[in-house]
């Protein structure tokens, strides 16, 4: 019989542990790894970029989308060139991006949108609405400058940058059982029994952000969760070189999906299938998922046996209501993801990048952002709480 012992199994120690291998998690790992820090990334899925970083519009924001939030628009514009330069290989920029304001039910009129663009300092050139839209549907249309990113190329680019960094480890299929604070360190226990420690813990899980926060007994964010669908379509020859967004209200976007040759189709009204205001995301489909997805641990919607039926009939009808028949498209498939939105943002449609420090010794930080090019907001907190070795 082996001799009993009270000794704790050997722990793996790091300077930083990052939960989530989406864009924000991988960027934080690369940024700190280049400084020589020992970094561990814990990812629930079997590969990075399996959820929101991939299943979204792939829009690299320049600010046009936020005419009712000047601060959000300015932040988007400020990082636009930096992101496009750093990740040039994944950027699709050679299409014409059209923004238009609907003649009815819009919160922003054409002259207001043009004035807003000039105030932010982003390009905005009026074009004839009848070039793209059916008569009487839009009161203004503008040629703008906005790009999309290809998530698959971005993932490979970031992994290639991380690969030579000896101090960075990515662990896939990680299941967190417990997080506790002890002696100025956070100790994470995985379901496998492994224990991991670090003085700095970054929660970069996006839709699962409150699931991690509540494990640690901190006050969760007030969030509205939306179960969203991104429809992928094949554009015809007339639509292929265009990206089109009708705003500001219950309208739609149809634009290139990175460099895939497909377009993404979304709508303010029909992209969200279900909404939850609970502390942890709770949806009716979870009960039919046979334990695959729960409020405490979200499954990947794209692999879920109970994901919603597509809203294709409604989204396509809305787009075709506005677009001239010359611009056509065909259904290819759908992507699903949970989108968390701070409830305070519902007032003015702002989308701030929230980087919150919950504790300092040990350090626990959570980041919540729906804008890909705002990733650089992480740098300040990563520098402030850098390794002291």
């Amino acid at each position: 019989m082996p001799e009993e012992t009270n000794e704790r199994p050997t722990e793996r120690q790091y300077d930083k542990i990052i939960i989530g291998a989406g864009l924000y998690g991988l960027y934080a790992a690369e940024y700190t790894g280049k400084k020589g820090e020992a970094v561990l990334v814990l990812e629930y899925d079997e590969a990075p970029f399996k959820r929101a970083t991939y299943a979204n519009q792939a829009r690299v924001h320049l600010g046009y989308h936020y005419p009712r939030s000047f601060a959000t628009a300015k932040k988007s514009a400020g990082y636009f060139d930096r992101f496009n330069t750093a990740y040039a290989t994944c950027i699709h920029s050679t299409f014409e991006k059209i923004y238009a304001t609907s003649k009815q039910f819009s919160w922003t009129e054409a002259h207001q949108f043009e004035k807003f663009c000039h105030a932010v300092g982003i390009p905005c050139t009026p074009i004839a609405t009848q070039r793209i839209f059916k008569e009487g549907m839009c009161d203004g249309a503008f040629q703008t400058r906005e790009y999309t990113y290809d998530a698959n190329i971005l993932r490979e680019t970031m992994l290639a940058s991380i690969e030579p960094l000896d101090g960075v480890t990515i662990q896939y299929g990680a299941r967190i059982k417990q997080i506790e604070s002890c002696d100025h360190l956070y100790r994470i226990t995985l379901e496998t029994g492994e224990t991991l420690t670090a003085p700095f813990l970054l929660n970069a899980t996006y839709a699962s952000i409150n699931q991690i926060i509540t494990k640690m007994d901190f006050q969760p964010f007030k969030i509205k969760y939306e179960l969203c669908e991104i429809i992928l379509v094949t554009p015809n020859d007339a639509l292929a070189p265009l990206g089109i967004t009708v705003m500001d209200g219950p309208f739609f976007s149809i634009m290139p999906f990175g460099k895939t040759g497909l377009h993404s189709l979304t709508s303010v009204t029909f992209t969200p299938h279900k909404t939850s205001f609970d502390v942890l995301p709770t949806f009716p489909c979870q009960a039919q998922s046979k334990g695959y997805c729960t409020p405490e641990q979200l499954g990947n919607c794209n692999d879920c046996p109970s994901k919603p039926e597509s809203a294709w009939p409604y989204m396509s009808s809305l787009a075709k209501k506005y677009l001239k028949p010359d611009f056509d498209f065909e259904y290819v498939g759908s992507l699903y993801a949970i989108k968390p939105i701070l409830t305070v943002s519902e007032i003015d449609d702002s989308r701030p990048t929230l980087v919150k420090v919950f504790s300092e010794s040990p350090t626990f930080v959570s980041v919540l952002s729906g804008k890909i090019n705002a990733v650089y907001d992480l740098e300040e907190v990563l520098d402030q709480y850098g390794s002291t070795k």
Side-chain angles (χ1 to χ4, degrees):
M1 177 179 292
E3 182 179 350
E4 293 187 5
T5 176
N6 293 322
E7 292 183 8
R8 181 181 293 273
T10 301
E11 295 179 332
R12 288 188 279 149
Q13 299 181 351
Y14 299 89
D15 296 313
K16 287 182 171 66
I17 295 176
I18 298 163
I19 306 175
L23 171 74
Y24 278 73
L26 290 191
Y27 183 80
E30 180 185 351
Y31 186 80
T32 52
K34 286 181 176 178
K35 296 184 174 186
E37 297 188 39
V39 183
L40 173 66
V41 181
L42 295 175
E43 170 54 44
Y44 186 89
D45 290 329
E46 298 303 322
F49 285 27
K50 294 282 285 183
R51 305 197 187 200
T53 305
Y54 175 69
N56 67 78
Q57 290 177 315
R59 188 194 305 267
V60 184
H61 285 276
L62 189 51
Y64 298 103
H65 218 58
Y66 304 104
R68 289 178 287 118
S69 178
F70 192 83
T72 303
K74 288 290 286 185
K75 177 62 69 70
S76 299
Y79 287 144
F80 183 79
D81 288 333
R82 180 179 177 185
F83 185 87
N84 291 323
T85 299
Y87 300 106
T89 57
C90 79
I91 299 299
H92 178 16
S93 61
T94 57
F95 65 95
E96 182 183 7
K97 185 59 200 287
I98 306 297
Y99 270 83
T101 49
S102 179
K103 199 165 188 177
Q104 291 185 314
F105 310 115
S106 178
W107 293 311
T108 303
E109 296 175 347
H111 75 278
Q112 293 173 323
F113 180 75
E114 189 172 14
K115 183 179 179 181
F116 156 77
C117 291
H118 291 324
V120 176
I122 51 182
C124 175
T125 304
I127 65 170
T129 58
Q130 62 267 30
R131 179 187 150 199
I132 307 288
F133 303 99
K134 293 177 181 175
E135 185 177 354
M137 298 306 297
C138 294
D139 72 347
F142 304 87
Q143 187 181 60
T144 64
R145 179 176 173 243
E146 193 169 69
Y147 305 152
T148 65
Y149 71 92
D150 191 299
N152 289 327
I153 298 174
L154 178 59
R155 178 191 64 230
E156 296 309 311
T157 299
M158 298 194 78
L159 289 176
S161 296
I162 289 172
E163 197 276 332
L165 301 177
D166 293 335
V168 178
T169 302
I170 305 175
Q171 184 168 338
Y172 300 111
R175 302 291 187 268
I176 296 174
K177 181 178 180 181
Q178 183 181 37
I179 305 175
E180 55 187 337
S181 175
C182 181
D183 298 328
H184 304 290
L185 296 172
Y186 278 115
R187 176 178 290 114
I188 296 179
T189 303
L190 302 182
E191 291 184 0
T192 59
E194 297 174 87
T195 56
L196 321 159
T197 63
F200 181 103
L201 180 59
L202 174 65
N203 176 15
T205 56
Y206 195 55
S208 297
I209 190 167
N210 274 347
Q211 293 169 322
I212 300 299
I213 292 172
T214 54
K215 279 182 181 290
M216 303 173 68
D217 295 324
F218 289 115
Q219 186 68 32
F221 292 130
K222 293 182 179 180
I223 288 174
K224 178 180 82 169
Y225 300 94
E226 293 180 341
L227 198 172
C228 294
E229 176 187 14
I230 308 295
I231 291 178
L232 300 181
V233 301
T234 301
N236 70 355
D237 290 343
L239 180 59
L242 299 177
I244 299 167
T245 296
V246 176
M247 57 185 318
D248 170 30
F251 309 117
F252 72 95
S253 285
I254 186 165
M255 55 192 292
F257 187 63
K259 296 184 176 183
T260 63
L262 303 176
H263 273 38
S264 66
L265 173 63
T266 57
S267 99
V268 172
T269 302
F270 301 115
T271 287
H273 280 256
K274 299 291 183 180
T275 300
S276 171
F277 287 93
D278 296 324
V279 172
L280 300 182
T282 305
F283 297 99
C285 52
Q286 290 168 329
Q288 284 80 51
S289 73
K290 299 180 180 180
Y292 177 77
C293 180
T294 68
E296 292 73 29
Q297 182 56 68
L298 290 175
N300 188 323
C301 295
N302 296 295
D303 300 326
C304 183
S306 59
K307 58 178 174 284
E309 291 186 13
S310 176
W312 159 252
Y314 309 105
M315 284 202 229
S316 57
S317 294
L318 176 61
K320 291 180 179 182
K321 176 182 176 182
Y322 279 83
L323 297 175
K324 294 175 70 173
D326 313 54
F327 307 100
D328 201 9
F329 48 91
E330 296 182 357
Y331 180 80
V332 172
S334 296
L335 301 173
Y336 294 89
I338 305 298
K339 179 180 180 181
I341 302 170
L342 292 169
T343 53
V344 68
S345 296
E346 293 299 289
I347 299 172
D348 60 359
D349 201 37
S350 63
R351 294 295 184 268
T353 297
L354 182 62
V355 182
K356 182 173 180 179
V357 179
F358 282 85
S359 65
E360 294 195 348
S361 184
T363 305
F364 174 54
V365 180
S366 288
V367 57
L368 181 62
S369 177
K371 298 187 299 300
I372 203 82
N373 45 314
V375 66
Y376 304 111
D377 278 348
L378 277 177
E379 293 179 353
E380 182 177 354
V381 73
L382 294 173
D383 289 339
Q384 182 179 354
Y385 299 99
S387 173
T388 58
K389 66 182 180 181

mmCIF file with all atom_site columns, all heavy atoms in Angstrom, residues 90-103:
data_model
loop_
_atom_site.group_PDB
_atom_site.id
_atom_site.type_symbol
_atom_site.label_atom_id
_atom_site.label_alt_id
_atom_site.label_comp_id
_atom_site.label_asym_id
_atom_site.label_entity_id
_atom_site.label_seq_id
_atom_site.pdbx_PDB_ins_code
_atom_site.Cartn_x
_atom_site.Cartn_y
_atom_site.Cartn_z
_atom_site.occupancy
_atom_site.B_iso_or_equiv
_atom_site.pdbx_formal_charge
_atom_site.auth_seq_id
_atom_site.auth_comp_id
_atom_site.auth_asym_id
_atom_site.auth_atom_id
_atom_site.pdbx_PDB_model_num
ATOM 1   N N   . CYS A 1 90  ? -4.405  39.406 -43.423 1.00 0.00 ? 90  CYS A N   1
ATOM 2   C CA  . CYS A 1 90  ? -5.763  38.897 -43.218 1.00 0.00 ? 90  CYS A CA  1
ATOM 3   C C   . CYS A 1 90  ? -6.831  39.927 -43.578 1.00 0.00 ? 90  CYS A C   1
ATOM 4   O O   . CYS A 1 90  ? -8.029  39.647 -43.471 1.00 0.00 ? 90  CYS A O   1
ATOM 5   C CB  . CYS A 1 90  ? -5.957  38.429 -41.774 1.00 0.00 ? 90  CYS A CB  1
ATOM 6   S SG  . CYS A 1 90  ? -6.237  39.750 -40.580 1.00 0.00 ? 90  CYS A SG  1
ATOM 7   N N   . ILE A 1 91  ? -6.428  41.120 -44.008 1.00 0.00 ? 91  ILE A N   1
ATOM 8   C CA  . ILE A 1 91  ? -7.374  42.209 -44.258 1.00 0.00 ? 91  ILE A CA  1
ATOM 9   C C   . ILE A 1 91  ? -7.857  42.199 -45.707 1.00 0.00 ? 91  ILE A C   1
ATOM 10  O O   . ILE A 1 91  ? -7.067  42.130 -46.644 1.00 0.00 ? 91  ILE A O   1
ATOM 11  C CB  . ILE A 1 91  ? -6.721  43.577 -43.952 1.00 0.00 ? 91  ILE A CB  1
ATOM 12  C CG1 . ILE A 1 91  ? -6.309  43.647 -42.475 1.00 0.00 ? 91  ILE A CG1 1
ATOM 13  C CG2 . ILE A 1 91  ? -7.686  44.711 -44.281 1.00 0.00 ? 91  ILE A CG2 1
ATOM 14  C CD1 . ILE A 1 91  ? -7.452  43.511 -41.489 1.00 0.00 ? 91  ILE A CD1 1
ATOM 15  N N   . HIS A 1 92  ? -9.174  42.289 -45.870 1.00 0.00 ? 92  HIS A N   1
ATOM 16  C CA  . HIS A 1 92  ? -9.776  42.460 -47.205 1.00 0.00 ? 92  HIS A CA  1
ATOM 17  C C   . HIS A 1 92  ? -10.207 43.925 -47.316 1.00 0.00 ? 92  HIS A C   1
ATOM 18  O O   . HIS A 1 92  ? -11.139 44.362 -46.642 1.00 0.00 ? 92  HIS A O   1
ATOM 19  C CB  . HIS A 1 92  ? -10.977 41.531 -47.358 1.00 0.00 ? 92  HIS A CB  1
ATOM 20  C CG  . HIS A 1 92  ? -11.684 41.657 -48.674 1.00 0.00 ? 92  HIS A CG  1
ATOM 21  N ND1 . HIS A 1 92  ? -11.144 42.281 -49.782 1.00 0.00 ? 92  HIS A ND1 1
ATOM 22  C CD2 . HIS A 1 92  ? -12.907 41.230 -49.071 1.00 0.00 ? 92  HIS A CD2 1
ATOM 23  C CE1 . HIS A 1 92  ? -11.992 42.242 -50.784 1.00 0.00 ? 92  HIS A CE1 1
ATOM 24  N NE2 . HIS A 1 92  ? -13.077 41.609 -50.383 1.00 0.00 ? 92  HIS A NE2 1
ATOM 25  N N   . SER A 1 93  ? -9.514  44.670 -48.145 1.00 0.00 ? 93  SER A N   1
ATOM 26  C CA  . SER A 1 93  ? -9.763  46.112 -48.258 1.00 0.00 ? 93  SER A CA  1
ATOM 27  C C   . SER A 1 93  ? -10.210 46.530 -49.652 1.00 0.00 ? 93  SER A C   1
ATOM 28  O O   . SER A 1 93  ? -10.592 47.691 -49.853 1.00 0.00 ? 93  SER A O   1
ATOM 29  C CB  . SER A 1 93  ? -8.496  46.895 -47.895 1.00 0.00 ? 93  SER A CB  1
ATOM 30  O OG  . SER A 1 93  ? -7.432  46.562 -48.773 1.00 0.00 ? 93  SER A OG  1
ATOM 31  N N   . THR A 1 94  ? -10.166 45.611 -50.605 1.00 0.00 ? 94  THR A N   1
ATOM 32  C CA  . THR A 1 94  ? -10.414 45.996 -51.992 1.00 0.00 ? 94  THR A CA  1
ATOM 33  C C   . THR A 1 94  ? -11.880 45.821 -52.383 1.00 0.00 ? 94  THR A C   1
ATOM 34  O O   . THR A 1 94  ? -12.210 45.196 -53.386 1.00 0.00 ? 94  THR A O   1
ATOM 35  C CB  . THR A 1 94  ? -9.524  45.177 -52.940 1.00 0.00 ? 94  THR A CB  1
ATOM 36  O OG1 . THR A 1 94  ? -9.773  43.784 -52.716 1.00 0.00 ? 94  THR A OG1 1
ATOM 37  C CG2 . THR A 1 94  ? -8.056  45.493 -52.705 1.00 0.00 ? 94  THR A CG2 1
ATOM 38  N N   . PHE A 1 95  ? -12.758 46.341 -51.564 1.00 0.00 ? 95  PHE A N   1
ATOM 39  C CA  . PHE A 1 95  ? -14.175 46.401 -51.919 1.00 0.00 ? 95  PHE A CA  1
ATOM 40  C C   . PHE A 1 95  ? -14.688 47.789 -51.571 1.00 0.00 ? 95  PHE A C   1
ATOM 41  O O   . PHE A 1 95  ? -14.091 48.516 -50.772 1.00 0.00 ? 95  PHE A O   1
ATOM 42  C CB  . PHE A 1 95  ? -14.995 45.315 -51.208 1.00 0.00 ? 95  PHE A CB  1
ATOM 43  C CG  . PHE A 1 95  ? -15.053 45.452 -49.700 1.00 0.00 ? 95  PHE A CG  1
ATOM 44  C CD1 . PHE A 1 95  ? -16.113 46.094 -49.083 1.00 0.00 ? 95  PHE A CD1 1
ATOM 45  C CD2 . PHE A 1 95  ? -14.046 44.913 -48.897 1.00 0.00 ? 95  PHE A CD2 1
ATOM 46  C CE1 . PHE A 1 95  ? -16.174 46.209 -47.698 1.00 0.00 ? 95  PHE A CE1 1
ATOM 47  C CE2 . PHE A 1 95  ? -14.093 45.026 -47.509 1.00 0.00 ? 95  PHE A CE2 1
ATOM 48  C CZ  . PHE A 1 95  ? -15.167 45.687 -46.915 1.00 0.00 ? 95  PHE A CZ  1
ATOM 49  N N   . GLU A 1 96  ? -15.789 48.163 -52.170 1.00 0.00 ? 96  GLU A N   1
ATOM 50  C CA  . GLU A 1 96  ? -16.375 49.477 -51.926 1.00 0.00 ? 96  GLU A CA  1
ATOM 51  C C   . GLU A 1 96  ? -17.406 49.346 -50.809 1.00 0.00 ? 96  GLU A C   1
ATOM 52  O O   . GLU A 1 96  ? -18.338 48.566 -50.897 1.00 0.00 ? 96  GLU A O   1
ATOM 53  C CB  . GLU A 1 96  ? -17.052 49.999 -53.196 1.00 0.00 ? 96  GLU A CB  1
ATOM 54  C CG  . GLU A 1 96  ? -17.645 51.390 -53.043 1.00 0.00 ? 96  GLU A CG  1
ATOM 55  C CD  . GLU A 1 96  ? -18.364 51.845 -54.307 1.00 0.00 ? 96  GLU A CD  1
ATOM 56  O OE1 . GLU A 1 96  ? -18.512 51.022 -55.244 1.00 0.00 ? 96  GLU A OE1 1
ATOM 57  O OE2 . GLU A 1 96  ? -18.793 53.014 -54.350 1.00 0.00 ? 96  GLU A OE2 1
ATOM 58  N N   . LYS A 1 97  ? -17.210 50.134 -49.746 1.00 0.00 ? 97  LYS A N   1
ATOM 59  C CA  . LYS A 1 97  ? -18.125 50.038 -48.604 1.00 0.00 ? 97  LYS A CA  1
ATOM 60  C C   . LYS A 1 97  ? -19.126 51.197 -48.643 1.00 0.00 ? 97  LYS A C   1
ATOM 61  O O   . LYS A 1 97  ? -18.753 52.362 -48.592 1.00 0.00 ? 97  LYS A O   1
ATOM 62  C CB  . LYS A 1 97  ? -17.365 50.053 -47.276 1.00 0.00 ? 97  LYS A CB  1
ATOM 63  C CG  . LYS A 1 97  ? -18.290 49.842 -46.081 1.00 0.00 ? 97  LYS A CG  1
ATOM 64  C CD  . LYS A 1 97  ? -19.034 48.494 -46.185 1.00 0.00 ? 97  LYS A CD  1
ATOM 65  C CE  . LYS A 1 97  ? -20.284 48.462 -45.324 1.00 0.00 ? 97  LYS A CE  1
ATOM 66  N NZ  . LYS A 1 97  ? -20.012 48.358 -43.916 1.00 0.00 ? 97  LYS A NZ  1
ATOM 67  N N   . ILE A 1 98  ? -20.408 50.831 -48.712 1.00 0.00 ? 98  ILE A N   1
ATOM 68  C CA  . ILE A 1 98  ? -21.497 51.804 -48.783 1.00 0.00 ? 98  ILE A CA  1
ATOM 69  C C   . ILE A 1 98  ? -22.273 51.796 -47.474 1.00 0.00 ? 98  ILE A C   1
ATOM 70  O O   . ILE A 1 98  ? -22.720 50.745 -47.020 1.00 0.00 ? 98  ILE A O   1
ATOM 71  C CB  . ILE A 1 98  ? -22.464 51.482 -49.942 1.00 0.00 ? 98  ILE A CB  1
ATOM 72  C CG1 . ILE A 1 98  ? -21.714 51.356 -51.264 1.00 0.00 ? 98  ILE A CG1 1
ATOM 73  C CG2 . ILE A 1 98  ? -23.577 52.521 -50.027 1.00 0.00 ? 98  ILE A CG2 1
ATOM 74  C CD1 . ILE A 1 98  ? -21.025 52.615 -51.712 1.00 0.00 ? 98  ILE A CD1 1
ATOM 75  N N   . TYR A 1 99  ? -22.409 52.963 -46.869 1.00 0.00 ? 99  TYR A N   1
ATOM 76  C CA  . TYR A 1 99  ? -23.331 53.151 -45.752 1.00 0.00 ? 99  TYR A CA  1
ATOM 77  C C   . TYR A 1 99  ? -24.508 53.981 -46.249 1.00 0.00 ? 99  TYR A C   1
ATOM 78  O O   . TYR A 1 99  ? -24.322 54.940 -47.004 1.00 0.00 ? 99  TYR A O   1
ATOM 79  C CB  . TYR A 1 99  ? -22.656 53.876 -44.588 1.00 0.00 ? 99  TYR A CB  1
ATOM 80  C CG  . TYR A 1 99  ? -21.999 52.966 -43.588 1.00 0.00 ? 99  TYR A CG  1
ATOM 81  C CD1 . TYR A 1 99  ? -20.720 52.475 -43.803 1.00 0.00 ? 99  TYR A CD1 1
ATOM 82  C CD2 . TYR A 1 99  ? -22.660 52.577 -42.423 1.00 0.00 ? 99  TYR A CD2 1
ATOM 83  C CE1 . TYR A 1 99  ? -20.108 51.629 -42.894 1.00 0.00 ? 99  TYR A CE1 1
ATOM 84  C CE2 . TYR A 1 99  ? -22.061 51.740 -41.500 1.00 0.00 ? 99  TYR A CE2 1
ATOM 85  C CZ  . TYR A 1 99  ? -20.784 51.270 -41.739 1.00 0.00 ? 99  TYR A CZ  1
ATOM 86  O OH  . TYR A 1 99  ? -20.180 50.428 -40.832 1.00 0.00 ? 99  TYR A OH  1
ATOM 87  N N   . ALA A 1 100 ? -25.704 53.607 -45.816 1.00 0.00 ? 100 ALA A N   1
ATOM 88  C CA  . ALA A 1 100 ? -26.903 54.354 -46.205 1.00 0.00 ? 100 ALA A CA  1
ATOM 89  C C   . ALA A 1 100 ? -27.804 54.516 -44.999 1.00 0.00 ? 100 ALA A C   1
ATOM 90  O O   . ALA A 1 100 ? -27.780 53.709 -44.067 1.00 0.00 ? 100 ALA A O   1
ATOM 91  C CB  . ALA A 1 100 ? -27.650 53.621 -47.326 1.00 0.00 ? 100 ALA A CB  1
ATOM 92  N N   . THR A 1 101 ? -28.613 55.576 -45.027 1.00 0.00 ? 101 THR A N   1
ATOM 93  C CA  . THR A 1 101 ? -29.590 55.808 -43.964 1.00 0.00 ? 101 THR A CA  1
ATOM 94  C C   . THR A 1 101 ? -30.988 55.574 -44.522 1.00 0.00 ? 101 THR A C   1
ATOM 95  O O   . THR A 1 101 ? -31.334 56.084 -45.594 1.00 0.00 ? 101 THR A O   1
ATOM 96  C CB  . THR A 1 101 ? -29.481 57.235 -43.415 1.00 0.00 ? 101 THR A CB  1
ATOM 97  O OG1 . THR A 1 101 ? -29.477 58.165 -44.508 1.00 0.00 ? 101 THR A OG1 1
ATOM 98  C CG2 . THR A 1 101 ? -28.199 57.409 -42.616 1.00 0.00 ? 101 THR A CG2 1
ATOM 99  N N   . SER A 1 102 ? -31.751 54.788 -43.802 1.00 0.00 ? 102 SER A N   1
ATOM 100 C CA  . SER A 1 102 ? -33.100 54.451 -44.249 1.00 0.00 ? 102 SER A CA  1
ATOM 101 C C   . SER A 1 102 ? -34.005 55.681 -44.204 1.00 0.00 ? 102 SER A C   1
ATOM 102 O O   . SER A 1 102 ? -33.870 56.532 -43.328 1.00 0.00 ? 102 SER A O   1
ATOM 103 C CB  . SER A 1 102 ? -33.681 53.349 -43.370 1.00 0.00 ? 102 SER A CB  1
ATOM 104 O OG  . SER A 1 102 ? -34.997 53.022 -43.767 1.00 0.00 ? 102 SER A OG  1
ATOM 105 N N   . LYS A 1 103 ? -34.927 55.743 -45.153 1.00 0.00 ? 103 LYS A N   1
ATOM 106 C CA  . LYS A 1 103 ? -35.839 56.878 -45.206 1.00 0.00 ? 103 LYS A CA  1
ATOM 107 C C   . LYS A 1 103 ? -36.873 56.813 -44.093 1.00 0.00 ? 103 LYS A C   1
ATOM 108 O O   . LYS A 1 103 ? -37.414 57.839 -43.658 1.00 0.00 ? 103 LYS A O   1
ATOM 109 C CB  . LYS A 1 103 ? -36.539 56.925 -46.572 1.00 0.00 ? 103 LYS A CB  1
ATOM 110 C CG  . LYS A 1 103 ? -37.150 58.292 -46.902 1.00 0.00 ? 103 LYS A CG  1
ATOM 111 C CD  . LYS A 1 103 ? -37.482 58.374 -48.382 1.00 0.00 ? 103 LYS A CD  1
ATOM 112 C CE  . LYS A 1 103 ? -37.897 59.800 -48.738 1.00 0.00 ? 103 LYS A CE  1
ATOM 113 N NZ  . LYS A 1 103 ? -38.170 59.921 -50.201 1.00 0.00 ? 103 LYS A NZ  1
#
